[in-house]
């Protein structure tokens, strides 16, 4: 999915995921400047429908200020068994993002 995301012109992770994964619905916020909402396998609870984000091992709930061009890989955990390691915070699914890092060897500029 990271290759497909890098080909899209989008400003948020939510916009880049739209239409790429089954069971993942992306809906616009409805107000100017409001971020899109990601629902994994439908609405799970009444308080907060946003999934849990894990970016480079750090747990967060924000996706707004994250540059999709920095994504190396992305995984979406949809079922409860896969998301169980994150506890009740993962009731709405988990999006695991690994960002691009430097690599060993001589410097290359593209």
């Amino acid at each position: 999915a990271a290759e497909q995301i890098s080909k899209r012109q989008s400003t948020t992770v939510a916009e880049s995921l739209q239409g790429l994964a089954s069971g993942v619905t992306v809906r616009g916020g409805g107000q100017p400047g409001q971020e899109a909402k990601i629902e994994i396998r439908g609405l799970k609870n009444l308080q907060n429908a946003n999934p849990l984000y894990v970016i480079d091992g750090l747990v967060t709930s924000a996706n707004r200020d994250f540059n999709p061009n920095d994504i190396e890989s992305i995984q979406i955990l949809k079922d409860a068994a896969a998301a169980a390691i994150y506890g009740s915070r993962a009731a709405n699914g988990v999006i695991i993002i690994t960002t691009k890092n430097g690599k060993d060897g001589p410097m290359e500029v593209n």
Side-chain angles (χ1 to χ4, degrees):
E3 298 85 26
Q4 293 172 331
I5 287 173
S6 67
K7 293 177 185 175
R8 292 182 161 208
Q9 294 295 327
S10 60
T11 56
T12 64
V13 175
E15 289 175 7
S16 14
L17 283 175
Q18 192 166 19
L20 289 182
S22 63
V24 177
T25 305
V26 179
R27 299 178 188 206
Q31 296 180 0
Q34 187 176 13
E35 66 186 77
K37 299 194 185 314
I38 298 176
E39 293 178 1
I40 298 176
R41 301 257 191 235
L43 187 62
K44 299 290 193 294
N45 63 33
L46 299 176
Q47 294 179 354
N48 183 7
N50 292 331
L52 181 71
Y53 288 86
V54 180
I55 301 173
D56 289 335
L58 299 173
V59 176
T60 181
S61 60
N63 70 346
R64 182 181 197 114
D65 297 324
F66 189 81
N67 184 358
N69 293 324
D70 291 338
I71 294 175
E72 173 96 19
S73 68
I74 188 164
Q75 297 176 342
I76 301 172
L77 304 181
K78 301 175 192 174
D79 59 342
I85 58 173
Y86 297 102
S88 62
R89 300 175 294 177
N92 298 318
V94 181
I95 297 176
I96 301 173
I97 297 172
T98 304
T99 58
K100 295 177 182 174
N101 294 320
K103 297 186 176 33
D104 291 336
M107 184 175 80
E108 293 182 21
V109 178
N110 294 330

